[in-house]
């Protein structure tokens, strides 16, 4: 079982309130992603759960037991670090089996479990190598192997894919998601990449400046963002915002419309603009258009949309996809 | 450099480089050669470079009549003992400062280094008196403790810099893996720190072996190391150059060899990390 | 990491060294201060008592004291100049393409690992002896009268020995720093059209300011306390010609058994070291503000 609950968790460094009163429930077996810009406190929150930092206030319950005063070794969690943090002087086998050794598991049993984990992660041919002789992707898998072999109550991932190149990152994303589902272990995953968040999570926790902005499934956050911050953070390219009269006319202090929800026309539409930059990806075209009264607006067209820099174009936001926000930035 | 360097340029600098090296190294070379001459040949003018009667009589005199081994053994005991003692105290200190730093840690380190900068004569009198009162003059334990304290700041400093280079998250991973603090030190920290500890030991052995203030003042015979033995040649009887050379060659050989291997450590240790 | 548990273990771990160094620092220094105010001579232990600053006046008004201060500053200053100049030149030389560079480097570095008593005696006898020494032979070969180093120029002789010992240190430090000069900086300078001399003046020399600063600071600390070389060659003489402050204190303590005077001298030495360190940090240490 691996249900984790945070109640009023706080962390201050000196005078800085790094984490401000976080309440959260992570259901057993779910994949929860902490996402947010740099410095929002997502890694700190993860480390508080792990026990690598002391919380200044609140409770952290794992399966109903408050572990706030317990050291990491006693919490029954395992962590995959951004830098993998493998033991350089030990073989892959000993790296993966280290936790079992610390728990007093005898050698035969240790070897069996390590072999199992290695097979799952395609690491069997590398078991006798040292981390220095492995590629980045292989090291990553060793780090994951080390985490799963102890059968912890939950996995904690701290931006594990940041140090990999783009192609590898996509592959590992799939592998991690698949692994978690098959093991049915709770996972908390920290990333600044919202694409990772959207594709891997059952539930996303959006954090900003130490506070939880919104918690929900990827689709919920995409379709019904609670505030300006979440609206602007989720979705790539970013949502377009407009204020002033244009917003008032459409029913809010600020309105937002995603690039993929703008209709493009060469003849007529609600907003008129000039194309500044056109990005042709083949499958999509992204146009960066300057619209008077709004500024830079991003629009997406599927397939090829032949417009050049300097062309005039008309944009119409799809009415059912307009997001409205009040003066405090909350969704109306 | 991806471009070729002209052979003429290399030849030019090679000649100059070897000439400069030879000039700097000459006293050592000359000393080495003189150790194999008879005393008569050692004093002869014009001096003989290579074509003289090579003999090992000086080495034999040094070893058998002048009891070189006694002094050499003392050097080993003192260098080794003070290094070991320093390590025992310094490893936990450096560990504490590297992995549980407080706001005061940097100041503490600077203060420790500043104790090294105090001139030894400032405490010569009380140390000498304390040694007399505690019957520590000319004992091994006395000079070992003294040198340990004198070099402790450098040992702590070097270990600190090496410990700091160990990635923090590997130790955190050990903690997540269920290691207690003690197991973390034994299974993860120490194996990773061994090269750094070895370098520190190397540097400290060199410093203790060559130390020539306290060893000259608080040892006389029983615990006198090689620095004292060589110093006795300053009041010689009769011709002594060849014997001095042989004794000196033996005395410096281990350290010169260690020093050749320890150049990087030297830079780190003696510049307090200011130069990488 | 920042957990309470680890912090308290850390403090306990550091404690022994702090206590030991504190005791090592404070107790002897306090004793020195105490003795400096006492009349105490080991040869006449019955004559004792508090005499305030008398020891200091005695020590400082002794003509040998002024000489010792001058000698100390001359020794330190000269060795600094020689080692930094030579060290820089040698470091630049080592940076050039030399066949067998490793061996040349070893030859240049070796003197630093020689114990001071060996260096001093080898120089004094094998090299500087006016009759059979190597320098004497060279002088005679060119038709000059050989110099009686320790009689005619004792201070210079000591300076030469100490400079020979410490030049490798300067060379090694400056050479290490030279190696860290980014290759890309060199290439960028070439693209910018910098000739060898400009490159040296504008890029290399400023880069070397930092290691040279370090060399000066570290050497000064050790050079203030030069002792063994003087002890085995000149015993401070002829007269007081090669007596530095450290040797003067040693003479009072060990040779005259005058604990009181020697203690006063020791305190003076500590004050001098602090003054020098203060100026060093002010003037030279600015380079190190990284």
């Amino acid at each position: 079982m691996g249900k984790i609950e945070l109640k009023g968790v706080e962390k201050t460094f000196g005078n800085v309130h790094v984490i401000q009163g976080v309440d959260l429930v992570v259901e057993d077996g779910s994949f929860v992603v902490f996402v947010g810009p740099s410095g929002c406190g997502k890694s700190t929150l993860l480390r508080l759960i792990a026990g690598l930092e002391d919380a200044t206030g609140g409770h952290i319950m794992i399966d109903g037991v408050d572990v706030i005063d317990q050291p990491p070794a006693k919490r029954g969690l395992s962590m995959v670090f951004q830098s993998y943090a493998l033991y350089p002087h030990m073989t892959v086998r000993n790296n993966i089996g280290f936790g079992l050794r610390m728990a007093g598991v005898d050698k035969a049993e240790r070897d069996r479990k390590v072999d199992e984990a290695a097979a799952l992660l395609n690491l069997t041919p590398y078991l006798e190598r040292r981390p220095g002789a492995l590629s980045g992707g292989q090291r990553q898998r060793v780090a994951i192997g080390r985490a799963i072999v102890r059968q912890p109550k939950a996995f904690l991932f701290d931006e594990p894919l940041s140090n990999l190149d783009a192609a590898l990152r996509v592959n590992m994303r799939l592998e991690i998601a698949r692994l978690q589902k098959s093991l049915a272990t709770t996972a908390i995953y920290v990333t600044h990449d919202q694409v990772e968040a959207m594709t891997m999570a059952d539930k996303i926790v959006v954090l900003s400046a130490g506070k939880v902005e919104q918690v929900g499934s990827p689709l919920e956050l995409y379709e019904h963002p609670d505030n300006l911050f979440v609206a602007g953070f989720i979705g790539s390219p970013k949502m377009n915002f407009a204020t002033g009269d244009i917003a008032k006319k459409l029913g809010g202090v600020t309105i937002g419309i995603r690039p993929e929800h703008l209709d493009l026309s060469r003849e007529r539409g609600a907003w008129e603009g000039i194309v500044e930059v056109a990005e042709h990806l083949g499958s999509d075209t992204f146009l960066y258009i300057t619209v008077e009264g709004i500024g830079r607006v991003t629009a997406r067209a599927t397939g090829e949309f032949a417009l050049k820099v300097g062309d005039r174009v008309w944009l119409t936001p799809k009415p059912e996809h307009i997001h409205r926000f009040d003066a405090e930035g909350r969704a109306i | 450099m991806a471009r070729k360097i002209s052979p003429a340029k290399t030849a030019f600098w090679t000649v100059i480089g070897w000439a400069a090296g030879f000039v700097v190294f000459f006293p050592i070379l000359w000393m080495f050669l003189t150790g194999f001459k008879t005393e008569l040949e050692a004093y002869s003018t014009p001096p003989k470079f290579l074509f003289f009667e090579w003999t090992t009589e000086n080495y034999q005199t040094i070893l058998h009549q002048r009891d070189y081994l006694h002094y050499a053994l003392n050097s080993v005991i003192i260098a080794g003992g003070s290094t070991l003692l320093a390590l025992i105290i310094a490893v936990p200190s450096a560990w504490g400062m590297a992995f549980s730093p407080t706001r005061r840690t940097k100041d503490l380190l600077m203060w420790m280094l500043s104790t090294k900068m105090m001139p030894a004569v400032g405490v010569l009198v009380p140390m000498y008196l304390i040694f007399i009162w505690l019957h520590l003059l000319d004992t091994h334990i006395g000079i070992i403790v003294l040198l340990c304290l004198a070099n402790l700041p450098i040992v702590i400093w070097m270990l600190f810099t090496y410990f700091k280079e160990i990635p923090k998250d590997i130790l955190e991973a050990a903690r997540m893996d269920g290691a207690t603090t003690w197991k973390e030190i034994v299974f993860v920290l120490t194996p990773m720190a061994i090269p750094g500890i070895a370098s520190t030991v190397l540097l400290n052995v060199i410093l203790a072996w060559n130390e020539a203030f306290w060893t000259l003042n608080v040892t006389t015979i029983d615990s006198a190391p090689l620095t004292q033995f060589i110093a006795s040649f300053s009041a010689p009887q009769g011709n002594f150059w060849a014997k001095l050379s042989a004794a000196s060659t033996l005395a410096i050989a281990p350290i010169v060899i260690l020093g050749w291997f320890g150049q990087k450590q030297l830079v780190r240790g003696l510049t307090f990390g200011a130069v990488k | 990491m920042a957990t309470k548990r680890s912090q308290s273990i850390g403090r306990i771990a550091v404690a022994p060294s702090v206590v030991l160094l504190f005791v090592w620092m404070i107790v002897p220094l306090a004793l020195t201060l105490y003795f400096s105010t006492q009349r105490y001579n080991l040869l006449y232990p019955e004559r004792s008592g508090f005499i305030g600053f008398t020891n200091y006046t005695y020590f400082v008004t002794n003509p040998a004291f002024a000489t010792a201060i001058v000698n100390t500053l001359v020794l330190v200053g000269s060795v600094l100049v020689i080692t930094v100049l030579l060290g820089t030149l040698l470091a630049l030389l080592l940076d050039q393409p030399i066949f067998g560079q490793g061996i040349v480097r070893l030859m240049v570095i070796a003197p630093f690992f020689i114990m001071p008593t060996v260096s001093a005696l080898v120089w004094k006898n094998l090299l500087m002896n006016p009759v059979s020494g190597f320098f004497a032979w060279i002088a005679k070969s060119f038709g000059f009268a050989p110099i009686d180093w320790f009689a005619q120029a004792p201070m210079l002789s000591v300076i030469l020995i100490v400079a020979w010992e410490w030049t490798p240190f300067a060379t090694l430090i400056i050479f290490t720093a030279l190696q860290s000069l980014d290759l890309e900086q060199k290439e960028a300078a070439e693209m910018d059209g910098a000739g060898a001399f400009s490159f040296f003046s504008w890029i290399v020399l400023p880069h070397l300011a930092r290691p040279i600063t370090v060399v000066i600071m570290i050497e000064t600390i050790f050079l203030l306390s030069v002792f063994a070389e003087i002890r085995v060659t000149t015993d401070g003489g002829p007269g007081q010609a090669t007596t530095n402050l450290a040797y003067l204190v040693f003479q009072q303590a060990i040779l005259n058994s005058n604990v009181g005077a020697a203690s006063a001298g020791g305190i003076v030495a500590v004050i001098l070291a602090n003054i020098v360190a203060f100026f060093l940090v002010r003037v030279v240490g600015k380079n190190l503000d990284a």
Side-chain angles (χ1 to χ4, degrees), chain C residues 215-234:
Chain C
V215 165
I216 291 176
M217 293 185 83
I218 306 288
E219 279 192 16
T220 305
I221 295 168
F222 288 101
L223 291 176
L224 281 173
S225 315
V226 166
F227 172 78
E229 294 86 338
I230 300 173
R231 177 87 176 90
V232 300
T233 54
T234 62

PDB file of all heavy atoms in Angstrom, chain C residues 215-234:
ATOM      1  N   VAL C 215      51.049  32.759  -4.506  1.00  0.00           N
ATOM      2  CA  VAL C 215      52.437  32.407  -4.213  1.00  0.00           C
ATOM      3  C   VAL C 215      53.019  33.382  -3.198  1.00  0.00           C
ATOM      4  O   VAL C 215      53.643  32.987  -2.220  1.00  0.00           O
ATOM      5  CB  VAL C 215      53.284  32.406  -5.509  1.00  0.00           C
ATOM      6  CG1 VAL C 215      54.763  32.396  -5.177  1.00  0.00           C
ATOM      7  CG2 VAL C 215      52.946  31.197  -6.356  1.00  0.00           C
ATOM      8  N   ILE C 216      52.805  34.662  -3.435  1.00  0.00           N
ATOM      9  CA  ILE C 216      53.353  35.668  -2.527  1.00  0.00           C
ATOM     10  C   ILE C 216      52.803  35.485  -1.119  1.00  0.00           C
ATOM     11  O   ILE C 216      53.537  35.506  -0.130  1.00  0.00           O
ATOM     12  CB  ILE C 216      53.054  37.092  -3.045  1.00  0.00           C
ATOM     13  CG1 ILE C 216      53.854  37.356  -4.317  1.00  0.00           C
ATOM     14  CG2 ILE C 216      53.371  38.135  -1.985  1.00  0.00           C
ATOM     15  CD1 ILE C 216      53.566  38.695  -4.954  1.00  0.00           C
ATOM     16  N   MET C 217      51.519  35.270  -1.019  1.00  0.00           N
ATOM     17  CA  MET C 217      50.918  35.154   0.309  1.00  0.00           C
ATOM     18  C   MET C 217      51.411  33.906   1.047  1.00  0.00           C
ATOM     19  O   MET C 217      51.796  33.966   2.214  1.00  0.00           O
ATOM     20  CB  MET C 217      49.397  35.130   0.189  1.00  0.00           C
ATOM     21  CG  MET C 217      48.836  36.442  -0.296  1.00  0.00           C
ATOM     22  SD  MET C 217      47.055  36.473  -0.318  1.00  0.00           S
ATOM     23  CE  MET C 217      46.732  36.864   1.369  1.00  0.00           C
ATOM     24  N   ILE C 218      51.414  32.789   0.366  1.00  0.00           N
ATOM     25  CA  ILE C 218      51.828  31.557   1.027  1.00  0.00           C
ATOM     26  C   ILE C 218      53.307  31.609   1.388  1.00  0.00           C
ATOM     27  O   ILE C 218      53.706  31.270   2.508  1.00  0.00           O
ATOM     28  CB  ILE C 218      51.569  30.336   0.128  1.00  0.00           C
ATOM     29  CG1 ILE C 218      50.123  30.301  -0.312  1.00  0.00           C
ATOM     30  CG2 ILE C 218      51.972  29.071   0.838  1.00  0.00           C
ATOM     31  CD1 ILE C 218      49.161  29.938   0.748  1.00  0.00           C
ATOM     32  N   GLU C 219      54.145  32.054   0.428  1.00  0.00           N
ATOM     33  CA  GLU C 219      55.586  32.086   0.700  1.00  0.00           C
ATOM     34  C   GLU C 219      55.897  32.998   1.870  1.00  0.00           C
ATOM     35  O   GLU C 219      56.732  32.684   2.713  1.00  0.00           O
ATOM     36  CB  GLU C 219      56.343  32.544  -0.547  1.00  0.00           C
ATOM     37  CG  GLU C 219      56.571  31.443  -1.564  1.00  0.00           C
ATOM     38  CD  GLU C 219      57.551  31.841  -2.644  1.00  0.00           C
ATOM     39  OE1 GLU C 219      58.286  32.835  -2.449  1.00  0.00           O
ATOM     40  OE2 GLU C 219      57.570  31.163  -3.676  1.00  0.00           O
ATOM     41  N   THR C 220      55.236  34.146   1.910  1.00  0.00           N
ATOM     42  CA  THR C 220      55.517  35.086   3.000  1.00  0.00           C
ATOM     43  C   THR C 220      55.302  34.424   4.352  1.00  0.00           C
ATOM     44  O   THR C 220      56.121  34.568   5.262  1.00  0.00           O
ATOM     45  CB  THR C 220      54.629  36.330   2.885  1.00  0.00           C
ATOM     46  OG1 THR C 220      54.809  36.897   1.599  1.00  0.00           O
ATOM     47  CG2 THR C 220      55.005  37.354   3.941  1.00  0.00           C
ATOM     48  N   ILE C 221      54.212  33.692   4.486  1.00  0.00           N
ATOM     49  CA  ILE C 221      53.940  33.034   5.758  1.00  0.00           C
ATOM     50  C   ILE C 221      55.103  32.149   6.156  1.00  0.00           C
ATOM     51  O   ILE C 221      55.568  32.172   7.296  1.00  0.00           O
ATOM     52  CB  ILE C 221      52.669  32.177   5.645  1.00  0.00           C
ATOM     53  CG1 ILE C 221      51.464  33.061   5.399  1.00  0.00           C
ATOM     54  CG2 ILE C 221      52.479  31.344   6.891  1.00  0.00           C
ATOM     55  CD1 ILE C 221      50.244  32.281   5.000  1.00  0.00           C
ATOM     56  N   PHE C 222      55.605  31.359   5.229  1.00  0.00           N
ATOM     57  CA  PHE C 222      56.675  30.432   5.577  1.00  0.00           C
ATOM     58  C   PHE C 222      58.040  31.119   5.663  1.00  0.00           C
ATOM     59  O   PHE C 222      58.882  30.723   6.466  1.00  0.00           O
ATOM     60  CB  PHE C 222      56.728  29.294   4.546  1.00  0.00           C
ATOM     61  CG  PHE C 222      55.581  28.342   4.663  1.00  0.00           C
ATOM     62  CD1 PHE C 222      54.502  28.422   3.803  1.00  0.00           C
ATOM     63  CD2 PHE C 222      55.574  27.363   5.640  1.00  0.00           C
ATOM     64  CE1 PHE C 222      53.432  27.551   3.923  1.00  0.00           C
ATOM     65  CE2 PHE C 222      54.518  26.490   5.766  1.00  0.00           C
ATOM     66  CZ  PHE C 222      53.449  26.584   4.909  1.00  0.00           C
ATOM     67  N   LEU C 223      58.257  32.137   4.830  1.00  0.00           N
ATOM     68  CA  LEU C 223      59.586  32.767   4.810  1.00  0.00           C
ATOM     69  C   LEU C 223      59.871  33.575   6.067  1.00  0.00           C
ATOM     70  O   LEU C 223      61.025  33.766   6.438  1.00  0.00           O
ATOM     71  CB  LEU C 223      59.726  33.656   3.578  1.00  0.00           C
ATOM     72  CG  LEU C 223      59.792  32.901   2.247  1.00  0.00           C
ATOM     73  CD1 LEU C 223      59.832  33.888   1.092  1.00  0.00           C
ATOM     74  CD2 LEU C 223      61.013  32.001   2.215  1.00  0.00           C
ATOM     75  N   LEU C 224      58.818  34.059   6.715  1.00  0.00           N
ATOM     76  CA  LEU C 224      59.039  34.816   7.940  1.00  0.00           C
ATOM     77  C   LEU C 224      59.710  33.945   9.007  1.00  0.00           C
ATOM     78  O   LEU C 224      60.364  34.452   9.903  1.00  0.00           O
ATOM     79  CB  LEU C 224      57.710  35.346   8.490  1.00  0.00           C
ATOM     80  CG  LEU C 224      57.144  36.600   7.819  1.00  0.00           C
ATOM     81  CD1 LEU C 224      55.752  36.892   8.358  1.00  0.00           C
ATOM     82  CD2 LEU C 224      58.058  37.784   8.052  1.00  0.00           C
ATOM     83  N   SER C 225      59.523  32.630   8.883  1.00  0.00           N
ATOM     84  CA  SER C 225      60.033  31.735   9.912  1.00  0.00           C
ATOM     85  C   SER C 225      61.225  30.911   9.473  1.00  0.00           C
ATOM     86  O   SER C 225      61.470  29.852  10.034  1.00  0.00           O
ATOM     87  CB  SER C 225      58.927  30.768  10.352  1.00  0.00           C
ATOM     88  OG  SER C 225      57.737  31.452  10.553  1.00  0.00           O
ATOM     89  N   VAL C 226      61.979  31.375   8.483  1.00  0.00           N
ATOM     90  CA  VAL C 226      63.150  30.609   8.049  1.00  0.00           C
ATOM     91  C   VAL C 226      64.048  30.370   9.257  1.00  0.00           C
ATOM     92  O   VAL C 226      64.380  31.291   9.988  1.00  0.00           O
ATOM     93  CB  VAL C 226      63.925  31.360   6.948  1.00  0.00           C
ATOM     94  CG1 VAL C 226      65.293  30.742   6.745  1.00  0.00           C
ATOM     95  CG2 VAL C 226      63.143  31.357   5.658  1.00  0.00           C
ATOM     96  N   PHE C 227      64.428  29.141   9.460  1.00  0.00           N
ATOM     97  CA  PHE C 227      65.231  28.828  10.651  1.00  0.00           C
ATOM     98  C   PHE C 227      66.358  27.853  10.343  1.00  0.00           C
ATOM     99  O   PHE C 227      67.524  28.158  10.569  1.00  0.00           O
ATOM    100  CB  PHE C 227      64.312  28.251  11.745  1.00  0.00           C
ATOM    101  CG  PHE C 227      65.069  27.728  12.919  1.00  0.00           C
ATOM    102  CD1 PHE C 227      65.590  28.598  13.865  1.00  0.00           C
ATOM    103  CD2 PHE C 227      65.295  26.362  13.080  1.00  0.00           C
ATOM    104  CE1 PHE C 227      66.313  28.123  14.950  1.00  0.00           C
ATOM    105  CE2 PHE C 227      66.008  25.889  14.167  1.00  0.00           C
ATOM    106  CZ  PHE C 227      66.519  26.769  15.101  1.00  0.00           C
ATOM    107  N   ALA C 228      66.014  26.683   9.840  1.00  0.00           N
ATOM    108  CA  ALA C 228      66.984  25.601   9.721  1.00  0.00           C
ATOM    109  C   ALA C 228      68.187  25.990   8.867  1.00  0.00           C
ATOM    110  O   ALA C 228      69.330  25.667   9.210  1.00  0.00           O
ATOM    111  CB  ALA C 228      66.310  24.364   9.125  1.00  0.00           C
ATOM    112  N   GLU C 229      67.928  26.703   7.785  1.00  0.00           N
ATOM    113  CA  GLU C 229      69.033  27.046   6.890  1.00  0.00           C
ATOM    114  C   GLU C 229      70.060  27.908   7.611  1.00  0.00           C
ATOM    115  O   GLU C 229      71.257  27.768   7.417  1.00  0.00           O
ATOM    116  CB  GLU C 229      68.502  27.791   5.660  1.00  0.00           C
ATOM    117  CG  GLU C 229      67.613  26.945   4.749  1.00  0.00           C
ATOM    118  CD  GLU C 229      66.157  26.937   5.192  1.00  0.00           C
ATOM    119  OE1 GLU C 229      65.891  27.219   6.377  1.00  0.00           O
ATOM    120  OE2 GLU C 229      65.296  26.634   4.365  1.00  0.00           O
ATOM    121  N   ILE C 230      69.564  28.823   8.453  1.00  0.00           N
ATOM    122  CA  ILE C 230      70.471  29.685   9.199  1.00  0.00           C
ATOM    123  C   ILE C 230      71.190  28.870  10.271  1.00  0.00           C
ATOM    124  O   ILE C 230      72.400  29.014  10.490  1.00  0.00           O
ATOM    125  CB  ILE C 230      69.700  30.850   9.846  1.00  0.00           C
ATOM    126  CG1 ILE C 230      69.023  31.683   8.755  1.00  0.00           C
ATOM    127  CG2 ILE C 230      70.634  31.717  10.680  1.00  0.00           C
ATOM    128  CD1 ILE C 230      68.097  32.744   9.296  1.00  0.00           C
ATOM    129  N   ARG C 231      70.454  28.000  10.913  1.00  0.00           N
ATOM    130  CA  ARG C 231      71.006  27.226  12.019  1.00  0.00           C
ATOM    131  C   ARG C 231      72.202  26.403  11.586  1.00  0.00           C
ATOM    132  O   ARG C 231      73.194  26.315  12.291  1.00  0.00           O
ATOM    133  CB  ARG C 231      69.899  26.307  12.566  1.00  0.00           C
ATOM    134  CG  ARG C 231      70.321  25.381  13.668  1.00  0.00           C
ATOM    135  CD  ARG C 231      70.201  26.075  15.008  1.00  0.00           C
ATOM    136  NE  ARG C 231      70.526  25.170  16.099  1.00  0.00           N
ATOM    137  CZ  ARG C 231      71.755  25.021  16.588  1.00  0.00           C
ATOM    138  NH1 ARG C 231      72.753  25.710  16.082  1.00  0.00           N
ATOM    139  NH2 ARG C 231      71.978  24.181  17.577  1.00  0.00           N
ATOM    140  N   VAL C 232      72.111  25.774  10.418  1.00  0.00           N
ATOM    141  CA  VAL C 232      73.183  24.858  10.028  1.00  0.00           C
ATOM    142  C   VAL C 232      74.268  25.515   9.197  1.00  0.00           C
ATOM    143  O   VAL C 232      75.298  24.913   8.950  1.00  0.00           O
ATOM    144  CB  VAL C 232      72.636  23.625   9.266  1.00  0.00           C
ATOM    145  CG1 VAL C 232      71.664  22.863  10.134  1.00  0.00           C
ATOM    146  CG2 VAL C 232      72.021  24.010   7.956  1.00  0.00           C
ATOM    147  N   THR C 233      74.080  26.753   8.763  1.00  0.00           N
ATOM    148  CA  THR C 233      75.143  27.369   7.972  1.00  0.00           C
ATOM    149  C   THR C 233      75.895  28.451   8.740  1.00  0.00           C
ATOM    150  O   THR C 233      77.112  28.452   8.784  1.00  0.00           O
ATOM    151  CB  THR C 233      74.586  28.003   6.675  1.00  0.00           C
ATOM    152  OG1 THR C 233      73.534  28.901   7.018  1.00  0.00           O
ATOM    153  CG2 THR C 233      74.088  26.945   5.719  1.00  0.00           C
ATOM    154  N   THR C 234      75.144  29.400   9.336  1.00  0.00           N
ATOM    155  CA  THR C 234      75.850  30.560   9.871  1.00  0.00           C
ATOM    156  C   THR C 234      75.641  30.776  11.374  1.00  0.00           C
ATOM    157  O   THR C 234      76.309  31.603  11.971  1.00  0.00           O
ATOM    158  CB  THR C 234      75.366  31.842   9.177  1.00  0.00           C
ATOM    159  OG1 THR C 234      73.970  31.987   9.463  1.00  0.00           O
ATOM    160  CG2 THR C 234      75.594  31.790   7.696  1.00  0.00           C
TER     161      THR C 234
END
